[in-house]
């Protein structure tokens, strides 16, 4: 049995969480090895001067995270393998260690999905109803459930202004199709989501970049770009921006709203990553619901395979978007919204979200050891990080060399509007490797590359 050294100094965080976090950290660092027996509840409580109840709660939390297991009559042990974090691994792509796509980490959702399916199957009348055409607005009860779940995560919506879509990508498509015409201009951050750039290209819209800093879009640059380009709308991702991970402070959000109100410029707020951080500022929609078209989705927090996204709209736009959705696909499958409603209502969605957050925290803890000497921006709950290449590396050389070593990362070139130059950065999606071995192997290769830049070529 080991008596652990744990310091309880994180103000505002409950003691049981601090103890569970410390156990998680020591397991990740291998200070607590698989199979190690943890102290009894009483022994650890005495050592830390906390109540036995606090330790019991901490061990239960560590067990919920899959780090330890309680054996009846024998005590609590560190799990034998890393099975709890990597419970399900999709088939790897041979020869490629993928750090490319911003996919959620592979986790086992099968039990919770299966339960929800059984719950659906138990109500034949409802199943028959779900097989009928419905209003393009979707079933009101499903919108209410979504609105309640969003409120739990500090997103204020009105069920009568919510619209289901086939993922956030589809939500943005509906928005651009409804509000823009070919030849129009839209504004985005200087570095932005490639899915939006591709959509704009297909719709023959021009994208103009707005300067940004560590918090995202700069209000004064937004104003200047507005006067220069007379855009239809401005697209932004104020929380965990893709690709930079920039998150706007509440003050910056108010400044952006003030500028947009003054210019009567509508904001397309993409909050796809907004629910991932345990704590974050208010989404812009909470502060200015009549000035914002809010886009969200369940792809990052629950499951991308569900293909469920949503829009919260200013009242004046709602009928136009309902019409656009009807033209596009008539409605989103009621079977799908019913299934999602069960998961949102019975706690499964929150359980999956917690598992995803824990997974990401564990992955970033591992990554810190490899990427400690480089300029790397990340958030412990985000899927991606933004890495500045050391001066000795050119972007093209780094991409070629990492590819040669089998490590796939995303070039900054993908994130800039057409005609603008790309800074020397790459996006690394730490959520993408399917298992711990690939994660560590890929990180090792990246760290080695960053530490060993190429020799410079002579040109005579
Ligand atoms: C910033 C951003 N917006 C929207 C999307 C699309 O999300 P969905 O899978 O719900 O269509 C993504 C997907 O990666 C994204 O990164």
């Amino acid at each position: 049995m080991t008596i652990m050294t744990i310091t309880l100094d994180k103000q505002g965080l409950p003691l049981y969480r601090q103890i569970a976090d410390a156990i998680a950290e020591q397991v990740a660092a291998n200070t607590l090895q698989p199979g190690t027996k943890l102290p009894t509840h009483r022994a650890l409580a005495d050592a830390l001067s906390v109540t036995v109840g606090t330790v019991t709660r901490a061990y239960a939390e560590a067990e919920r995270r899959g780090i330890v297991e309680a054996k009846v009559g024998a005590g609590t042990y560190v799990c034998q393998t890393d099975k709890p974090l990597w419970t399900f691994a999709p088939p790897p792509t041979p020869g490629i260690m993928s750090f490319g796509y911003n996919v959620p980490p592979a986790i086992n959702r099968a039990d919770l999905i299966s339960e929800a399916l059984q719950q659906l199957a138990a109500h034949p009348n409802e199943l028959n109803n779900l097989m009928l055409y419905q209003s393009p607005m979707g079933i009101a009860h499903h919108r209410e459930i979504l609105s309640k779940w969003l409120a739990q995560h500090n997103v204020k919506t009105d069920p009568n202004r919510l619209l289901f879509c086939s993922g956030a990508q589809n939500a943005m498509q509906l928005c651009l199709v409804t509000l823009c015409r070919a030849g129009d201009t839209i504004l985005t951050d200087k570095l932005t989501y490639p899915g939006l750039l591709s959509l704009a290209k297909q719709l023959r819209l021009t994208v103009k970049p707005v300067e940004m800093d560590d918090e995202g879009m700069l209000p004064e640059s937004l104003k200047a770009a507005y006067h220069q380009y007379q855009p239809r709308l401005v697209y932004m991702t104020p929380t965990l921006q893709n690709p930079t991970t920039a998150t706007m402070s509440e003050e910056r959000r108010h400044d952006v709203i003030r500028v947009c109100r003054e210019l009567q410029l509508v904001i397309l707020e993409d909050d796809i990553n907004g629910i991932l951080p345990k704590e974050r500022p208010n989404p812009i929609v909470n502060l200015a619901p009549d000035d914002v078209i809010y886009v969200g989705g369940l792809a990052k927090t629950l499951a991308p395979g569900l293909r469920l996204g949503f829009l919260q709209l200013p009242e004046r736009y709602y009928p136009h978007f309902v019409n656009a959705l009807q033209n596009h696909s008539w409605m989103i499958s009621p079977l799908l919204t019913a299934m999602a409603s069960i998961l949102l209502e019975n706690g499964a969605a929150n359980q999956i979200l917690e598992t995803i957050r824990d997974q990401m925290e564990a992955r970033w803890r591992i990554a810190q050891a490899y990427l400690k000497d480089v300029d790397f921006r990340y958030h412990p709950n985000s899927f991606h990080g933004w890495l500045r290449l050391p001066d000795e590396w050119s972007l093209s050389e780094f991409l070629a060399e990492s590819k040669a070593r089998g490590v796939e990362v995303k070039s900054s070139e993908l994130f800039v509007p057409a005609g603008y130059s790309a800074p020397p950065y790459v996006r690394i999606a730490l959520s993408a490797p399917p298992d711990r071995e690939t994660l560590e192997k890929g990180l090792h290769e990246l760290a080695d590359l960053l530490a060993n830049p190429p020799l410079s070529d002579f040109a005579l």
Side-chain angles (χ1 to χ4, degrees), residues 126-273:
E126 198 183 329
L127 275 180
N128 273 325
N129 282 337
L130 294 173
M131 293 300 107
L132 306 176
Y133 276 116
Q134 309 278 349
S135 150
M137 289 165 63
I139 294 172
H141 181 54
H142 294 170
R143 279 185 275 118
E144 278 158 22
I145 291 173
L146 172 64
S147 182
K148 270 195 198 141
W149 183 78
L150 287 169
Q152 286 172 27
H153 298 281
N154 189 31
V155 183
K156 293 183 191 145
T157 55
D158 173 351
N160 295 321
R161 283 159 61 174
L162 275 175
L163 204 57
F164 289 113
C165 306
S166 300
Q169 185 69 27
N170 175 228
M172 292 192 292
Q173 183 192 28
L174 290 179
C175 181
L176 297 190
V177 165
T178 308
L179 297 186
C180 306
R181 296 285 165 270
D184 283 350
T185 296
I186 60 170
L187 300 179
T188 66
D189 285 306
K190 195 174 169 176
L191 292 148
T192 193
Y193 168 53
L196 189 276
L197 293 175
S198 169
L199 194 50
K201 189 173 171 190
Q202 190 186 32
L203 298 175
R204 310 214 185 292
L205 306 177
T206 304
V207 179
K208 290 292 177 188
V210 179
E211 285 298 325
M212 58 191 296
D213 65 6
D214 287 354
E215 286 193 25
M217 200 170 275
L218 289 162
E220 285 314 307
S221 304
L222 173 57
K223 207 174 189 174
Y226 175 85
H227 288 303
Q228 194 174 354
Y229 302 115
Q230 282 88 47
R232 278 276 165 207
L233 56 85
V234 55
Y235 165 82
M236 59 184 79
T237 308
T239 301
L240 291 187
Q241 205 255 3
N242 184 3
T244 64
T245 75
T247 295
M248 283 186 188
S249 63
E250 195 117 345
E251 192 185 343
R252 173 69 60 86
R253 289 168 199 246
H254 281 291
D255 288 345
V256 164
I257 291 169
R258 186 179 38 73
V259 166
C260 289
R261 277 198 181 136
E262 193 183 303
L263 303 171
Q264 297 193 345
L265 179 61
V266 65
I267 300 172
L268 173 54
E269 178 182 25
D270 180 350
D271 200 33
I272 189 80
N273 295 324

